[in-house]
Amino acid sequence: MTDSQGVSSGTPDDQIADELRGVLAEAGITRNRKLVRRILETGLGLGTDGASRLDLKIASAALAEMREAFGLFAPFARTPKVTIFGSARARFDSPAYQQTRNVSAALAERGWMVVTGAGPGIMQAAAEGAGAQHSLGVSIRLPFEEKPNSSIEGSRNVAMKYFFTRKLMLVKESHGFVYVPGGFGTLDELFELLTLQQTGKSEPTPIVLLDEPGGRLWHGLRAFAQEQLLPAGVISPDDFDRVLLTDSVAAAADEITGFWRNYDSLRWAGDRLVLRLRAEPTAAEIAGLDDSFSDLLTSGGFQSRGPLRREIRDHDRLDLPRLVCHFDPFKVGSLYRLIRALNALDSAPRSGSPDHLR
């Protein structure tokens, strides 16, 4: 910053802020300028902090990878997506491989895109089932897994150096998740998603554990949770309510798409929970919800109303009917039970997909 004599004035931080504003203006950035400036300020902060070369390489590579991944997904922002996880070691002639191909094909036929880690095994089966035009990949650069599988076009894949950025993109863009039996990597992805759901850090989404026909692997996991984790008090009784275990391709596809039949999205406004729906429930249906889910509320019942002031301010899904309630935040696991009830109302549309993408 300079005064009328051309002499610099203000603090060094003020001068840097002015220069950054100038850089943004010169680059033609007009949207979300505060957030972009914050990214630049964080980068400068790492430099003034004296961060190590390794720390700077991690931060720089992670940001570059996320930018590339955002660019990959951007053209398909209004298309619903399902991420399919499973073992890279699955053989092409195994029942799990065929099961994955079938569920991917079923979801692609319903207009969904399939996202995978772009490797071999279950990831290749998913891409084959969905077809090249309905597949996206987020691969990891490993010595033994360097290229995406042949079923994913090069322009439909982004390669990541770090597992944490890859995991972010496999979860961030999808509105449903299917897990086919796999090893440590598959379980890692499953437990991370369940943790995000359990803690309320991620909005509810359908989660399917799809076994091969007659398979029992996922039943073994549920038994372990019920027999060991639940009695130990380290999970809640409703934590597995958010998961469907099945060996049926049709049931898996129905769970993914049916989750969005009536439910659209939610938002917290202070201590109130706002549930946005595709169809307005009747007074009798609301009374039934009050009776069935009073244990999840801290006070009162469900109120059908228009957008709250905060939603109006943010232009947030103003066209949709909504139910507002004082939901107990410690019972977020039971949100799945409530959402399924909302989807089963007679007033609900017969079918649907994530409407907020349109």
Side-chain angles (χ1 to χ4, degrees):
M1 180 184 298
T2 58
D3 60 20
S4 60
Q5 305 299 315
V7 178
S8 177
S9 62
T11 67
D13 285 346
D14 289 337
Q15 295 174 32
I16 292 174
D18 283 345
E19 290 177 6
L20 288 178
R21 280 191 283 268
V23 169
L24 294 174
E26 187 174 345
I29 298 172
T30 57
R31 295 182 58 210
N32 301 313
R33 292 184 63 171
K34 288 184 178 180
L35 290 173
V36 177
R37 192 180 80 188
R38 183 177 173 184
I39 293 172
L40 297 177
E41 289 172 343
T42 300
L44 291 174
L46 286 170
T48 58
D49 290 344
S52 69
R53 180 174 176 81
L54 176 59
D55 289 347
L56 291 172
K57 287 176 68 176
I58 291 173
S60 174
L63 189 59
E65 288 184 356
M66 286 190 287
R67 180 191 178 193
E68 188 176 358
F70 295 155
L72 171 69
F73 283 96
F76 312 104
R78 295 190 175 278
T79 303
K81 303 170 195 67
V82 57
T83 297
I84 297 182
F85 297 98
S87 176
R89 302 182 184 185
R91 292 173 53 87
F92 74 92
D93 57 352
S94 68
Y97 195 101
Q98 188 59 49
Q99 192 84 322
T100 304
R101 288 192 61 177
N102 291 342
V103 74
S104 297
L107 288 164
E109 288 175 1
R110 302 185 190 195
W112 286 61
M113 295 192 77
V114 172
V115 182
T116 71
I122 293 302
M123 293 172 279
Q124 179 157 350
E128 287 176 359
Q133 294 305 306
H134 289 85
S135 296
L136 293 173
V138 185
S139 62
I140 188 75
R141 294 197 291 270
L142 295 174
F144 51 86
E145 193 178 314
E146 296 180 350
K147 297 180 180 180
N149 64 65
S150 59
S151 298
I152 294 182
E153 297 179 359
S155 62
R156 295 291 187 94
N157 178 72
V158 58
M160 305 292 227
K161 179 178 180 180
Y162 297 117
F163 273 106
F164 73 89
T165 50
R166 184 199 198 199
K167 290 166 71 173
L168 170 65
M169 297 311 303
L170 287 172
V171 171
K172 172 185 176 292
E173 296 290 336
S174 288
H175 297 82
F177 301 89
V178 176
Y179 293 82
V180 183
F184 292 149
T186 304
L187 293 174
D188 173 55
E189 298 285 3
L190 172 61
F191 288 140
E192 177 155 345
L193 181 59
L194 290 176
T195 300
L196 291 172
Q197 295 288 325
Q198 182 191 53
T199 56
K201 295 293 288 183
S202 179
E203 288 195 9
T205 48
I207 303 170
V208 176
L209 305 186
L210 179 63
D211 238 318
E212 62 184 57
R216 302 294 297 174
L217 185 144
W218 293 127
H219 290 272
L221 176 64
R222 182 170 63 181
F224 172 75
Q226 292 175 338
E227 296 169 7
Q228 302 296 328
L229 302 181
L230 188 57
V234 295
I235 66 171
S236 300
D238 56 11
D239 279 340
F240 249 78
D241 286 353
R242 55 177 61 89
V243 174
L244 172 70
L245 275 70
T246 184
D247 63 356
S248 164
V249 165
D254 287 346
E255 175 71 7
I256 296 297
T257 60
F259 189 88
W260 305 100
R261 175 186 169 191
N262 192 24
Y263 170 74
D264 176 87
S265 55
L266 61 77
R267 175 172 177 166
W268 289 92
D271 62 347
R272 291 181 294 178
L273 175 65
V274 183
L275 295 158
R276 278 81 71 104
L277 308 177
R278 298 181 66 202
E280 185 173 359
T282 66
E285 288 173 334
I286 294 175
L289 293 172
D290 288 341
D291 290 339
S292 299
F293 297 99
S294 60
D295 60 312
L296 305 184
L297 309 182
T298 57
S299 63
F302 294 92
Q303 179 187 8
S304 178
R305 58 160 297 163
L308 300 183
R309 183 177 303 173
R310 295 185 187 185
E311 296 177 290
I312 296 173
R313 178 194 64 195
D314 297 336
H315 304 285
D316 191 2
R317 310 300 291 147
L318 302 183
D319 57 321
L320 295 177
R322 55 248 294 137
L323 291 178
V324 179
C325 63
H326 292 275
F327 195 91
D328 186 342
F330 294 102
K331 296 182 178 180
V332 290
S334 293
L335 272 173
Y336 279 73
R337 189 159 53 90
L338 173 58
I339 289 171
R340 290 189 177 106
L342 294 172
N343 289 327
L345 295 175
D346 289 339
S347 61
R350 296 300 93 193
S351 62
S353 63
D355 195 53
H356 51 284
L357 299 179
R358 299 173 185 170

PDB file of all heavy atoms in Angstrom, residues 326-343:
ATOM      1  N   HIS A 326     -36.695 -30.809  16.518  1.00  0.00           N
ATOM      2  CA  HIS A 326     -35.591 -30.722  17.479  1.00  0.00           C
ATOM      3  C   HIS A 326     -35.038 -32.139  17.657  1.00  0.00           C
ATOM      4  O   HIS A 326     -35.457 -32.876  18.542  1.00  0.00           O
ATOM      5  CB  HIS A 326     -36.073 -30.129  18.803  1.00  0.00           C
ATOM      6  CG  HIS A 326     -36.459 -28.687  18.706  1.00  0.00           C
ATOM      7  ND1 HIS A 326     -35.551 -27.660  18.821  1.00  0.00           N
ATOM      8  CD2 HIS A 326     -37.663 -28.105  18.472  1.00  0.00           C
ATOM      9  CE1 HIS A 326     -36.177 -26.498  18.676  1.00  0.00           C
ATOM     10  NE2 HIS A 326     -37.455 -26.737  18.468  1.00  0.00           N
ATOM     11  N   PHE A 327     -34.093 -32.496  16.795  1.00  0.00           N
ATOM     12  CA  PHE A 327     -33.559 -33.854  16.761  1.00  0.00           C
ATOM     13  C   PHE A 327     -32.407 -33.980  17.752  1.00  0.00           C
ATOM     14  O   PHE A 327     -31.572 -33.081  17.884  1.00  0.00           O
ATOM     15  CB  PHE A 327     -33.059 -34.166  15.346  1.00  0.00           C
ATOM     16  CG  PHE A 327     -32.805 -35.618  15.084  1.00  0.00           C
ATOM     17  CD1 PHE A 327     -33.803 -36.432  14.575  1.00  0.00           C
ATOM     18  CD2 PHE A 327     -31.567 -36.183  15.343  1.00  0.00           C
ATOM     19  CE1 PHE A 327     -33.572 -37.771  14.327  1.00  0.00           C
ATOM     20  CE2 PHE A 327     -31.319 -37.517  15.105  1.00  0.00           C
ATOM     21  CZ  PHE A 327     -32.326 -38.318  14.595  1.00  0.00           C
ATOM     22  N   ASP A 328     -32.372 -35.100  18.455  1.00  0.00           N
ATOM     23  CA  ASP A 328     -31.296 -35.362  19.411  1.00  0.00           C
ATOM     24  C   ASP A 328     -30.007 -35.627  18.644  1.00  0.00           C
ATOM     25  O   ASP A 328     -29.894 -36.638  17.936  1.00  0.00           O
ATOM     26  CB  ASP A 328     -31.655 -36.579  20.269  1.00  0.00           C
ATOM     27  CG  ASP A 328     -30.654 -36.826  21.391  1.00  0.00           C
ATOM     28  OD1 ASP A 328     -29.527 -36.297  21.317  1.00  0.00           O
ATOM     29  OD2 ASP A 328     -30.994 -37.557  22.334  1.00  0.00           O
ATOM     30  N   PRO A 329     -28.996 -34.759  18.727  1.00  0.00           N
ATOM     31  CA  PRO A 329     -27.771 -34.932  17.933  1.00  0.00           C
ATOM     32  C   PRO A 329     -26.993 -36.186  18.297  1.00  0.00           C
ATOM     33  O   PRO A 329     -26.146 -36.638  17.515  1.00  0.00           O
ATOM     34  CB  PRO A 329     -26.967 -33.670  18.238  1.00  0.00           C
ATOM     35  CG  PRO A 329     -27.480 -33.187  19.551  1.00  0.00           C
ATOM     36  CD  PRO A 329     -28.936 -33.558  19.576  1.00  0.00           C
ATOM     37  N   PHE A 330     -27.260 -36.762  19.467  1.00  0.00           N
ATOM     38  CA  PHE A 330     -26.563 -37.980  19.863  1.00  0.00           C
ATOM     39  C   PHE A 330     -27.196 -39.232  19.259  1.00  0.00           C
ATOM     40  O   PHE A 330     -26.731 -40.345  19.495  1.00  0.00           O
ATOM     41  CB  PHE A 330     -26.530 -38.095  21.392  1.00  0.00           C
ATOM     42  CG  PHE A 330     -25.710 -37.024  22.059  1.00  0.00           C
ATOM     43  CD1 PHE A 330     -26.324 -35.948  22.668  1.00  0.00           C
ATOM     44  CD2 PHE A 330     -24.328 -37.081  22.042  1.00  0.00           C
ATOM     45  CE1 PHE A 330     -25.578 -34.945  23.278  1.00  0.00           C
ATOM     46  CE2 PHE A 330     -23.562 -36.088  22.656  1.00  0.00           C
ATOM     47  CZ  PHE A 330     -24.185 -35.016  23.271  1.00  0.00           C
ATOM     48  N   LYS A 331     -28.249 -39.035  18.467  1.00  0.00           N
ATOM     49  CA  LYS A 331     -28.922 -40.176  17.843  1.00  0.00           C
ATOM     50  C   LYS A 331     -28.894 -40.081  16.324  1.00  0.00           C
ATOM     51  O   LYS A 331     -29.816 -40.507  15.634  1.00  0.00           O
ATOM     52  CB  LYS A 331     -30.363 -40.267  18.349  1.00  0.00           C
ATOM     53  CG  LYS A 331     -30.442 -40.541  19.850  1.00  0.00           C
ATOM     54  CD  LYS A 331     -31.879 -40.676  20.331  1.00  0.00           C
ATOM     55  CE  LYS A 331     -31.918 -40.989  21.826  1.00  0.00           C
ATOM     56  NZ  LYS A 331     -33.309 -41.118  22.338  1.00  0.00           N
ATOM     57  N   VAL A 332     -27.783 -39.528  15.799  1.00  0.00           N
ATOM     58  CA  VAL A 332     -27.691 -39.356  14.343  1.00  0.00           C
ATOM     59  C   VAL A 332     -27.702 -40.695  13.611  1.00  0.00           C
ATOM     60  O   VAL A 332     -28.076 -40.771  12.444  1.00  0.00           O
ATOM     61  CB  VAL A 332     -26.423 -38.562  13.957  1.00  0.00           C
ATOM     62  CG1 VAL A 332     -26.541 -37.125  14.386  1.00  0.00           C
ATOM     63  CG2 VAL A 332     -25.168 -39.210  14.528  1.00  0.00           C
ATOM     64  N   GLY A 333     -27.311 -41.765  14.306  1.00  0.00           N
ATOM     65  CA  GLY A 333     -27.358 -43.079  13.669  1.00  0.00           C
ATOM     66  C   GLY A 333     -28.760 -43.466  13.258  1.00  0.00           C
ATOM     67  O   GLY A 333     -28.954 -44.161  12.249  1.00  0.00           O
ATOM     68  N   SER A 334     -29.733 -43.010  14.001  1.00  0.00           N
ATOM     69  CA  SER A 334     -31.128 -43.350  13.708  1.00  0.00           C
ATOM     70  C   SER A 334     -31.728 -42.496  12.608  1.00  0.00           C
ATOM     71  O   SER A 334     -32.890 -42.691  12.241  1.00  0.00           O
ATOM     72  CB  SER A 334     -31.976 -43.226  14.983  1.00  0.00           C
ATOM     73  OG  SER A 334     -31.608 -44.207  15.929  1.00  0.00           O
ATOM     74  N   LEU A 335     -30.974 -41.545  12.087  1.00  0.00           N
ATOM     75  CA  LEU A 335     -31.466 -40.768  10.952  1.00  0.00           C
ATOM     76  C   LEU A 335     -31.822 -41.667   9.781  1.00  0.00           C
ATOM     77  O   LEU A 335     -32.757 -41.390   9.026  1.00  0.00           O
ATOM     78  CB  LEU A 335     -30.407 -39.752  10.504  1.00  0.00           C
ATOM     79  CG  LEU A 335     -30.432 -38.389  11.192  1.00  0.00           C
ATOM     80  CD1 LEU A 335     -29.233 -37.561  10.777  1.00  0.00           C
ATOM     81  CD2 LEU A 335     -31.728 -37.655  10.875  1.00  0.00           C
ATOM     82  N   TYR A 336     -31.083 -42.767   9.631  1.00  0.00           N
ATOM     83  CA  TYR A 336     -31.358 -43.681   8.529  1.00  0.00           C
ATOM     84  C   TYR A 336     -32.740 -44.301   8.675  1.00  0.00           C
ATOM     85  O   TYR A 336     -33.464 -44.458   7.699  1.00  0.00           O
ATOM     86  CB  TYR A 336     -30.290 -44.767   8.468  1.00  0.00           C
ATOM     87  CG  TYR A 336     -29.029 -44.316   7.785  1.00  0.00           C
ATOM     88  CD1 TYR A 336     -28.155 -43.444   8.407  1.00  0.00           C
ATOM     89  CD2 TYR A 336     -28.717 -44.746   6.504  1.00  0.00           C
ATOM     90  CE1 TYR A 336     -27.000 -43.011   7.785  1.00  0.00           C
ATOM     91  CE2 TYR A 336     -27.568 -44.330   5.867  1.00  0.00           C
ATOM     92  CZ  TYR A 336     -26.708 -43.463   6.509  1.00  0.00           C
ATOM     93  OH  TYR A 336     -25.575 -43.029   5.878  1.00  0.00           O
ATOM     94  N   ARG A 337     -33.099 -44.647   9.902  1.00  0.00           N
ATOM     95  CA  ARG A 337     -34.420 -45.218  10.148  1.00  0.00           C
ATOM     96  C   ARG A 337     -35.505 -44.202   9.798  1.00  0.00           C
ATOM     97  O   ARG A 337     -36.528 -44.537   9.194  1.00  0.00           O
ATOM     98  CB  ARG A 337     -34.504 -45.636  11.624  1.00  0.00           C
ATOM     99  CG  ARG A 337     -35.729 -46.442  11.988  1.00  0.00           C
ATOM    100  CD  ARG A 337     -35.499 -47.238  13.276  1.00  0.00           C
ATOM    101  NE  ARG A 337     -35.031 -46.426  14.378  1.00  0.00           N
ATOM    102  CZ  ARG A 337     -35.833 -45.826  15.253  1.00  0.00           C
ATOM    103  NH1 ARG A 337     -37.142 -45.931  15.132  1.00  0.00           N
ATOM    104  NH2 ARG A 337     -35.333 -45.125  16.254  1.00  0.00           N
ATOM    105  N   LEU A 338     -35.271 -42.953  10.137  1.00  0.00           N
ATOM    106  CA  LEU A 338     -36.232 -41.899   9.824  1.00  0.00           C
ATOM    107  C   LEU A 338     -36.311 -41.661   8.320  1.00  0.00           C
ATOM    108  O   LEU A 338     -37.413 -41.517   7.758  1.00  0.00           O
ATOM    109  CB  LEU A 338     -35.833 -40.615  10.551  1.00  0.00           C
ATOM    110  CG  LEU A 338     -36.631 -39.353  10.226  1.00  0.00           C
ATOM    111  CD1 LEU A 338     -38.112 -39.548  10.496  1.00  0.00           C
ATOM    112  CD2 LEU A 338     -36.082 -38.156  11.019  1.00  0.00           C
ATOM    113  N   ILE A 339     -35.176 -41.613   7.651  1.00  0.00           N
ATOM    114  CA  ILE A 339     -35.170 -41.370   6.202  1.00  0.00           C
ATOM    115  C   ILE A 339     -35.904 -42.483   5.468  1.00  0.00           C
ATOM    116  O   ILE A 339     -36.668 -42.234   4.527  1.00  0.00           O
ATOM    117  CB  ILE A 339     -33.715 -41.223   5.700  1.00  0.00           C
ATOM    118  CG1 ILE A 339     -33.128 -39.899   6.199  1.00  0.00           C
ATOM    119  CG2 ILE A 339     -33.656 -41.301   4.177  1.00  0.00           C
ATOM    120  CD1 ILE A 339     -31.643 -39.752   5.951  1.00  0.00           C
ATOM    121  N   ARG A 340     -35.699 -43.719   5.884  1.00  0.00           N
ATOM    122  CA  ARG A 340     -36.407 -44.828   5.242  1.00  0.00           C
ATOM    123  C   ARG A 340     -37.914 -44.695   5.441  1.00  0.00           C
ATOM    124  O   ARG A 340     -38.709 -45.031   4.556  1.00  0.00           O
ATOM    125  CB  ARG A 340     -35.883 -46.153   5.781  1.00  0.00           C
ATOM    126  CG  ARG A 340     -34.452 -46.462   5.330  1.00  0.00           C
ATOM    127  CD  ARG A 340     -34.022 -47.871   5.679  1.00  0.00           C
ATOM    128  NE  ARG A 340     -32.678 -48.128   5.165  1.00  0.00           N
ATOM    129  CZ  ARG A 340     -31.587 -48.193   5.911  1.00  0.00           C
ATOM    130  NH1 ARG A 340     -31.674 -48.017   7.221  1.00  0.00           N
ATOM    131  NH2 ARG A 340     -30.401 -48.432   5.367  1.00  0.00           N
ATOM    132  N   ALA A 341     -38.313 -44.201   6.612  1.00  0.00           N
ATOM    133  CA  ALA A 341     -39.746 -43.995   6.852  1.00  0.00           C
ATOM    134  C   ALA A 341     -40.289 -42.878   5.960  1.00  0.00           C
ATOM    135  O   ALA A 341     -41.405 -42.981   5.436  1.00  0.00           O
ATOM    136  CB  ALA A 341     -39.979 -43.664   8.324  1.00  0.00           C
ATOM    137  N   LEU A 342     -39.516 -41.834   5.763  1.00  0.00           N
ATOM    138  CA  LEU A 342     -39.941 -40.741   4.877  1.00  0.00           C
ATOM    139  C   LEU A 342     -40.077 -41.230   3.436  1.00  0.00           C
ATOM    140  O   LEU A 342     -40.995 -40.823   2.714  1.00  0.00           O
ATOM    141  CB  LEU A 342     -38.930 -39.594   4.937  1.00  0.00           C
ATOM    142  CG  LEU A 342     -38.808 -38.860   6.282  1.00  0.00           C
ATOM    143  CD1 LEU A 342     -37.644 -37.881   6.247  1.00  0.00           C
ATOM    144  CD2 LEU A 342     -40.104 -38.139   6.617  1.00  0.00           C
ATOM    145  N   ASN A 343     -39.187 -42.103   3.029  1.00  0.00           N
ATOM    146  CA  ASN A 343     -39.248 -42.645   1.669  1.00  0.00           C
ATOM    147  C   ASN A 343     -40.419 -43.604   1.476  1.00  0.00           C
ATOM    148  O   ASN A 343     -40.853 -43.834   0.342  1.00  0.00           O
ATOM    149  CB  ASN A 343     -37.934 -43.360   1.326  1.00  0.00           C
ATOM    150  CG  ASN A 343     -36.788 -42.382   1.132  1.00  0.00           C
ATOM    151  OD1 ASN A 343     -36.985 -41.276   0.665  1.00  0.00           O
ATOM    152  ND2 ASN A 343     -35.581 -42.805   1.509  1.00  0.00           N
TER     153      ASN A 343
END
